Amino acid sequence: MPQSDSLIAGRVDLHGRTLRQVLDAHSAWLSRKPDGARAVLINISLSELRLDGINLAGAEISSSLLIETELRGAILGASSWKNVDLRKAMLSEADLAGATLVEVQADLAWFSSANLAEATINGSTFRRASLAEARMHDATLTSCDLTGANLRGS
């Protein structure tokens, strides 16, 4: 069962920094404050965490595990995802507009009503994932596996 962000944000270690510190620095970066820093999450695990509504717009996420992570309504536009495991993750109503997903494994994940407009998705799998009602206009999918995916209304 996913754990609440408020319970773990100060305890998740991301290469010597807590998740809360990374998120605060990223928020400052988005606001163009001098103490800000873009979130770069490489080789980390955020599996089974509840991160609903998190703002990682423009972040770089690679070689990481987000299995069964809850990201409902997350702000992830223009973010870069490479070699990320999102199996069974919940991204309903998440904003991934303009995001780049390369070699992402999103089997059984939920992208219902998510915004994937203008996303670039390469070599990724969405087997039996739900993309029902997802907004995908001007998205580019190349060499992706959508076997059994629910694309109703997308």
Side-chain angles (χ1 to χ4, degrees):
M1 169 174 242
Q3 301 175 36
S4 172
D5 173 32
S6 60
L7 296 176
I8 52 80
R11 296 189 303 220
V12 174
D13 180 43
L14 304 175
H15 308 293
R17 297 173 66 197
T18 66
L19 177 58
R20 174 59 46 215
Q21 289 170 326
V22 170
L23 294 175
D24 289 346
H26 188 72
S27 179
W29 177 77
L30 289 169
S31 299
R32 301 186 189 274
K33 294 181 180 173
D35 59 337
R38 178 183 187 208
V40 177
L41 307 174
I42 300 173
N43 198 29
I44 55 108
S45 177
L46 296 175
S47 292
E48 298 184 5
L49 297 182
R50 182 173 293 132
L51 302 173
D52 297 332
I54 195 169
N55 187 347
L56 285 172
E60 177 186 340
I61 304 161
S62 62
S63 302
S64 295
L65 301 174
L66 283 86
I67 300 168
E68 294 186 26
T69 301
E70 295 187 15
L71 294 158
R72 287 181 192 91
I75 302 167
L76 307 167
S79 55
S80 175
W81 302 69
K82 183 173 182 182
N83 194 28
V84 175
D85 193 337
L86 285 168
R87 285 177 294 157
K88 297 184 181 179
M90 177 67 69
L91 290 109
S92 296
E93 299 180 3
D95 182 3
L96 289 128
T100 301
L101 287 76
V102 177
E103 298 176 5
V104 169
Q105 186 175 4
D107 301 341
L108 297 168
W110 289 83
F111 289 87
S112 302
S113 300
N115 183 5
L116 292 157
E118 299 181 11
T120 301
I121 307 171
N122 296 309
S124 297
T125 63
F126 294 88
R127 290 182 294 261
R128 297 187 345 211
S130 177
L131 291 123
E133 307 296 328
R135 293 177 301 283
M136 300 180 71
H137 63 276
D138 294 327
T140 303
L141 284 79
T142 307
S143 300
C144 293
D145 184 351
L146 294 151
T147 304
N150 179 356
L151 299 169
R152 181 183 42 83
S154 293

